[in-house]
Amino acid sequence: MELKWVEDFLQLAETGSFSRAAELRYVTQPAFSRRIRALEQWLGAELIDRTSYPTKLTKAGEQFRDRAAEIVRQAIDARAIARGLQSAPTDTILFAAPHTLSLTFFPTWLHALEKKLGRVKAKLLAANVHDAVMSLVEGNCDLLLCYHHTNQPVQLDESRYEMVVLGTETIAPFSRTDSEGRALFTLPGSDHKKIPYLSYTPQAYLGRMVELILQQSPLRAHLDCVYENDMSEALKVMALEGHGLAWLPESAVTRELKAKRIARCGDSHWTGTMEIRLYRERGAQREVVDAVWQAALGK
């Protein structure tokens, strides 16, 4: 059994909707349904009454619900102890951020903070967007850095969490350059000459952003998916080796653009813009965390 199956079940029990629960868990609905089925198979009992809407729990599901919540609480406590988070120094700030932001935005942003505040002691958990968000929800970090788009929002209760926008990030298609500094591939391609496509996995936040861009573009992209990975850095390496086109955050390719090792593969039709946000829980501030928060607000 995997802990995420139990967390999925609790989300479904709360929302009564497979589609809404899948959205909140940052997975596709088919993948979410498979995970619920896997949990039922492991338990040897049906937890969900699929003949009704909104979705209801079976008698076995109702009995398992309280046990499931306790399983998750115990696992979170055990993980916190194992990671040493409970004994972290009081002057250290615990951050959580998606992998891309941890490599591109965070170092520069922290440097700017330290110009205002002096040395900031930080511990950073780099994860996918879902796990980074859950770190804040589960109390495993002080501050959360993440992307946000109106069509791909981060679902955090505004009454519990406060937020500040730190900046924006553009995601665009890039590929290796030829000897003259031009992109090897140009969108939209054609039915007869499809572009090799380096794709994010379906559950990746940036993958959903790319799908949104493709859906909203006035032109149809002719792509042939040849590789998948949930990390933009991995896709960048593949693009630099000439394996195909990848949508990447501009902050991840700044050096490569200056060196003309990589170039955009299309115009603004193929780009998207996301906010970079900082979140914290209301009423749970420490002095060092509050100092960073006030600096982020420009105070």
Side-chain angles (χ1 to χ4, degrees), residues 13-88:
E14 180 179 343
T15 62
S17 166
F18 273 85
S19 59
R20 178 59 175 161
E23 180 183 357
L24 293 172
R25 294 289 291 161
Y26 297 95
V27 296
T28 63
Q29 186 171 335
F32 183 85
S33 297
R34 287 194 296 270
R35 281 158 43 165
I36 295 296
R37 282 292 190 190
L39 176 62
E40 290 177 317
Q41 291 170 4
W42 186 85
L43 289 170
E46 289 194 0
L47 303 174
I48 309 300
D49 180 359
R50 293 172 173 81
T51 64
S52 64
Y53 185 85
T55 300
K56 295 181 180 179
L57 302 184
T58 62
K59 185 176 180 180
E62 292 287 358
Q63 291 178 342
F64 181 65
R65 186 175 186 174
D66 290 341
R67 295 289 182 91
E70 183 61 27
I71 289 170
V72 172
R73 283 194 294 268
Q74 291 180 354
I76 290 170
D77 290 344
R79 181 175 62 185
I81 293 171
R83 289 178 175 175
L85 295 180
Q86 293 181 343
S87 60

Side-chain angles (χ1 to χ4, degrees), residues 173-177 183-186 194-199 223-227 235-248 261-263 265:
F174 294 93
S175 79
R176 180 178 173 173
T177 54
L184 289 179
F185 308 102
T186 303
K194 292 186 176 182
I195 300 172
Y197 175 37
L198 309 173
S199 172
L223 304 172
D224 179 21
C225 183
V226 297
Y227 179 75
L235 296 181
K236 182 177 78 170
V237 172
M238 291 291 287
L240 286 169
E241 291 297 326
H243 292 287
L245 168 158
W247 266 264
L248 302 169
R261 296 178 59 208
I262 205 168
C265 301

Side-chain angles (χ1 to χ4, degrees), residues 147-264:
Y147 292 123
H148 174 87
H149 188 276
T150 52
N151 290 330
Q152 290 293 335
V154 173
Q155 303 289 345
L156 286 171
D157 185 353
E158 293 182 2
S159 66
R160 181 179 174 186
Y161 303 98
E162 55 185 329
M163 176 275 298
V164 59
V165 177
L166 300 179
T168 59
E169 174 76 274
T170 298
I171 183 169
F174 294 93
S175 79
R176 180 178 173 173
T177 54
D178 59 20
S179 59
E180 297 181 359
R182 296 174 299 190
L184 289 179
F185 308 102
T186 303
L187 285 164
S190 67
D191 281 331
H192 301 293
K193 192 174 182 181
K194 292 186 176 182
I195 300 172
Y197 175 37
L198 309 173
S199 172
Y200 294 96
T201 53
Q203 68 270 22
Y205 183 89
L206 293 182
R208 294 195 293 274
M209 280 299 305
V210 174
E211 287 302 312
L212 182 64
I213 292 168
L214 292 173
Q215 291 169 9
Q216 294 181 343
S217 173
L219 301 174
R220 182 169 71 91
H222 301 270
L223 304 172
D224 179 21
C225 183
V226 297
Y227 179 75
E228 286 189 5
N229 199 299
D230 61 356
M231 295 180 62
S232 60
E233 285 297 311
L235 296 181
K236 182 177 78 170
V237 172
M238 291 291 287
L240 286 169
E241 291 297 326
H243 292 287
L245 168 158
W247 266 264
L248 302 169
E250 282 198 334
S251 63
V253 294
T254 303
R255 294 179 182 177
E256 290 79 8
L257 283 170
K258 288 182 179 179
K260 296 185 177 181
R261 296 178 59 208
I262 205 168
R264 279 202 190 195

